Every structure is written in structure tokens, then in C-alpha cells.
Amino acid sequence: MTEVQQYCTFFINKIHFGIDIKQVQEVIWSSEITPVPLAPVDICGLINLRGKIVTIIDLQCRLGMGQSLSPSTSHPELDEEFLAHNIIVQTKDEIAGLLVEDIGDMLEFTSDRFEPSPATLTGQMRKVLRGAYSLSQGFLMILDIEKVLKV
């Protein structure tokens, strides 16, 4: 029997990514982020989410895909009304927010369509990418959230 997997999808630099829907707590508009002094460059800061302190990770920066998406960074190439989204994810160890460019749809696939990451993939992406699903236009790159949070 083929298992069905569901993914919350989003975009960074027009690349379509997905994470297991079971690890997504919610999706929110980027809210006021309090910077953390001396934090790594991929940590945007902290937000207060209904009384919980949540670390916001700039996923574009963490994946080594270019300039930060942080609201404090100028984005002349993007629409003036650019507003990033936070995907609040939860693992057994922690809760964190992933700052992403745009949110896609919830997609589901049968497990037999899953393709593992190519062996030729290098860099930060190789460490956190589980694999991909072929779409009618391109691919849905599946991230391993446990690994993304540990990098």
C-alpha cells in the first residue's frame, strides 16, 4: 500500500520547497521581530507568539541562497509592499519560525513518487534536503526540518 504524504509548500528565490505538514503549527505574516545581539546572520530574532518566545530563522540565508529576507533588510528588487511569512514549525525538541518569501498550497503525493536527493548536490542544501517530487513545472524540494533547525 502506498502512503500519502502532505506538505506545506513555500517559495524562496522562486524555488518551490515543502515541509511535512505534521511539523507545521501555523503560518503567519511576518510580525515585529526583536533582534538578538551577536546572533548568527541567519537568526532574524525573536517574536512573541501568544506568550511563547519563538526564534525566527531566515531560511533563505540558512540555505545559502542569497540576501537575507529579514524585514530589516532593504529589498529593492521586490515589490515595496513585500512582507515575508513565518512558518511556525515544531519538532519534538523545539518550536521555531522559518522566514520565507511566499506561501504555496498544501500538496499531497504518494510515497512512490518521492525521489531522493541527487548525489551531486553540494553545499548547505545537501545537508537539509530529503529529496524531491516532480511537478508539471519543476520540482518540489522537500526539506528535513530537524536538520534545518540543527544547522
Side-chain angles (χ1 to χ4, degrees), residues 2-27:
T2 307
E3 187 178 337
V4 174
Q5 299 287 325
Q6 295 181 322
Y7 297 96
C8 173
T9 69
F10 56 92
F11 297 88
I12 299 175
N13 286 344
K14 298 182 181 156
I15 298 173
H16 205 174
F17 288 96
I19 54 178
D20 189 333
I21 197 91
K22 292 180 232 162
Q23 293 180 299
V24 175
Q25 179 177 312
E26 62 188 293
V27 176

Side-chain angles (χ1 to χ4, degrees), residues 77-91:
E77 73 284 1
L78 299 174
D79 185 354
E80 284 183 30
E81 296 189 22
F82 171 74
L83 187 59
H85 297 80
N86 287 315
I87 300 175
I88 307 301
V89 295
Q90 187 156 10
T91 66

Side-chain angles (χ1 to χ4, degrees), residues 1-141:
M1 187 164 92
T2 307
E3 187 178 337
V4 174
Q5 299 287 325
Q6 295 181 322
Y7 297 96
C8 173
T9 69
F10 56 92
F11 297 88
I12 299 175
N13 286 344
K14 298 182 181 156
I15 298 173
H16 205 174
F17 288 96
I19 54 178
D20 189 333
I21 197 91
K22 292 180 232 162
Q23 293 180 299
V24 175
Q25 179 177 312
E26 62 188 293
V27 176
I28 61 173
W29 289 102
S30 182
S31 56
E32 186 174 331
I33 299 173
T34 303
V36 177
L38 306 175
V41 69
D42 60 351
I43 301 296
C44 298
L46 305 172
I47 65 168
N48 182 340
L49 184 65
R50 293 181 297 284
K52 287 190 176 187
I53 305 281
V54 178
T55 301
I56 302 298
I57 298 167
D58 184 330
L59 195 54
Q60 178 169 310
C61 189
R62 178 152 291 186
L63 297 177
M65 296 179 64
Q67 181 182 3
S68 171
L69 285 173
S70 174
S72 63
T73 305
S74 171
H75 300 282
E77 73 284 1
L78 299 174
D79 185 354
E80 284 183 30
E81 296 189 22
F82 171 74
L83 187 59
H85 297 80
N86 287 315
I87 300 175
I88 307 301
V89 295
Q90 187 156 10
T91 66
K92 62 182 179 196
D93 298 328
E94 64 185 303
I95 183 172
L98 305 175
L99 190 69
V100 301
E101 208 170 279
D102 200 9
I103 298 296
D105 295 321
M106 190 284 296
L107 297 177
E108 61 181 35
F109 299 91
T110 55
S111 56
D112 61 339
R113 291 188 50 206
F114 184 74
E115 295 289 331
S117 300
T120 55
L121 192 63
T122 61
Q124 196 68 351
M125 193 68 73
R126 180 176 177 84
K127 296 176 187 174
V128 299
L129 192 66
R130 286 186 38 223
Y133 288 97
S134 180
L135 302 172
S136 60
Q137 294 181 347
F139 292 91
L140 177 65
M141 312 296 275

